[in-house]
Amino acid sequence: MRRKDEVSGRGGREEPPSSGESGSPEKKLRRSMGLLTALGAVLAAAGLFGLAYVAVATVTTVAVFGWLLLIGGCVGLLHAAQSRGASHVWLSLIVAALNLAAGVILIGHPDTTAAGLTLFAGLLFLSAGVFRLVGALVVRGPEMFLTLTQGAFGVLLAVLVLAQWPGSTLYVLGTFFSLALLFDGLGLIATGIGGRQLLGMAGEQRPADDEPRS
């Protein structure tokens, strides 16, 4: 009752929230954007390091994939143990066993696995490039030139990878993985900086919007 009387005595208007209360969400957003920028910087630095030491990046890529498969296999086994009696438990066990076996092979034989993955990547580039070239020539759509360019680039990349295989094993996977880290890091940095700039512009416009109208 006292609160209502105070509000009515002030002309029915409630007091606006204090600057500390209204600023806390903005501070949290700024902190999140700062963390996003820092994460992007770490990823970009890792990408540059991988490009400088491609062989190390290749072995690291294989090891990371291997550990991810091991972790996925263990999680699959736990899920299968928790869902005993279900109709799909045998399928979960098979998938978990395959993940565990693939993880052990990747970690135990990184050189052989990297060679196999490089060969697979080269064949994948070749098939995708040929498919795009044939599709562009058959369909002849408005994006024919772009599709032909992408197909020719895929075939050229496949030829470069397969012609030097297995020597290309030392740099193909590491280069692709490092470039992915670099571009992801730059994207996160751009997102974080852009978000902080938008918050700053919103903070500058807020006092003008809060001025009492005559």
Side-chain angles (χ1 to χ4, degrees):
M1 296 295 294
R2 186 178 180 183
R3 179 60 180 172
K4 292 181 178 179
D5 295 337
E6 292 177 357
V7 172
S8 60
R10 295 173 184 174
R13 288 186 177 180
E14 295 183 359
E15 293 183 355
S18 61
S19 59
E21 294 177 356
S22 61
S24 58
E26 183 177 350
K27 289 181 180 179
K28 291 180 180 179
L29 286 176
R30 286 182 178 275
R31 191 179 301 112
S32 300
M33 292 301 170
L35 292 176
L36 197 66
T37 305
L39 178 60
V42 172
L43 291 180
L48 291 176
F49 178 83
L51 291 176
Y53 302 95
V54 183
V56 176
T58 299
V59 177
T60 304
T61 302
V62 175
V64 168
F65 287 161
W67 282 109
L68 289 177
L69 288 173
L70 279 179
I71 295 173
C74 294
V75 172
L77 288 179
L78 291 176
H79 177 70
Q82 292 177 356
S83 59
R84 291 190 303 269
S87 58
H88 63 277
V89 64
W90 292 107
L91 180 60
S92 299
L93 287 174
I94 292 174
V95 173
L98 290 176
N99 286 334
L100 288 174
V104 171
I105 293 174
L106 285 175
I107 296 174
H109 305 279
D111 298 335
T112 306
T113 305
L117 291 176
T118 303
L119 179 61
F120 176 76
L123 294 175
L124 185 64
F125 291 146
L126 181 61
S127 60
V130 172
F131 179 79
R132 285 177 177 172
L133 287 176
V134 174
L137 293 176
V138 171
V139 177
R140 296 181 180 274
E143 299 180 354
M144 176 180 174
F145 179 76
L146 179 61
T147 307
L148 284 174
T149 304
Q150 292 176 346
F153 181 76
V155 172
L156 177 62
L157 187 60
V159 170
L160 292 176
V161 172
L162 296 176
Q164 300 179 7
W165 188 84
S168 58
T169 302
L170 297 176
Y171 61 85
V172 170
L173 296 179
T175 301
F176 291 160
F177 187 68
S178 300
L179 287 176
L181 288 178
L182 178 61
F183 289 136
D184 289 343
L186 293 177
L188 290 178
I189 291 174
T191 302
I193 295 176
R196 291 179 67 90
Q197 290 178 351
L198 289 176
L199 289 175
M201 295 172 60
E204 292 176 357
Q205 293 177 358
R206 188 179 298 112
D209 296 337
D210 293 340
E211 292 181 356
R213 297 180 180 179
S214 58

